[in-house]
């Protein structure tokens, strides 16, 4: 199945959370923090949003930082994704 975001939306997938701490303590899935670094899977075409022209600055494959609670979470074919607006992306990780 292919997901194509519309307008200024971006489809991202969170990177896996660390399962052990730096000191070697193994964390359960309930105690792991939600990762803030994600990989861009697909990007919408941009266009007019609220009367303003939006040019997409992200591309598929970019690693980005988002807020912990931004976007809409979807589950497709057993994989978890989040759809966010480009303006919800805080930074690109290089």
């Amino acid at each position: 199945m292919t997901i194509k975001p519309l307008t200024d939306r971006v489809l991202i997938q969170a990177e896996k959370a660390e399962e052990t701490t730096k000191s070697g303590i193994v964390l359960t899935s309930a105690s792991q923090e939600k990762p803030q670094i994600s990989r861009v899977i697909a990007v919408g075409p941009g266009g007019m949003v609220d009367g303003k022209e939006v040019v997409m600055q992200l591309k598929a494959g970019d690693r980005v930082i988002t807020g912990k609670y931004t976007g809409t979470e979807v589950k497709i074919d057993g994989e978890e994704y989040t759809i966010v607006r480009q303006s919800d992306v805080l930074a690109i990780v290089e």
Side-chain angles (χ1 to χ4, degrees):
M1 181 179 298
T2 303
I3 302 171
K4 295 182 181 179
L6 302 175
T7 60
D8 68 333
R9 308 282 188 194
V10 180
L11 179 70
I12 60 175
Q13 186 173 33
E15 292 188 350
K16 302 294 180 202
E18 300 245 352
E19 294 182 8
T20 58
T21 64
K22 291 180 183 179
S23 61
I25 298 172
V26 177
L27 300 172
T28 64
S29 59
S31 64
Q32 294 174 358
E33 280 192 33
K34 182 178 175 183
Q36 290 178 276
I37 297 180
S38 302
R39 183 153 315 270
V40 176
I41 305 299
V43 178
M48 296 297 285
V49 177
D50 296 330
K52 297 178 183 175
E53 181 71 25
V54 175
V55 177
M56 300 306 283
Q57 298 175 357
L58 300 173
K59 61 186 181 305
D62 284 346
R63 292 179 68 217
V64 296
I65 298 174
T66 59
K68 285 187 180 184
Y69 305 106
T70 59
T72 302
E73 294 180 358
V74 293
K75 191 171 189 175
I76 298 175
D77 296 333
E79 296 285 331
E80 292 185 11
Y81 301 97
T82 305
I83 299 174
V84 298
R85 290 185 178 270
Q86 179 175 258
S87 59
D88 291 336
V89 174
L90 305 175
I92 298 175
V93 178
E94 295 181 342

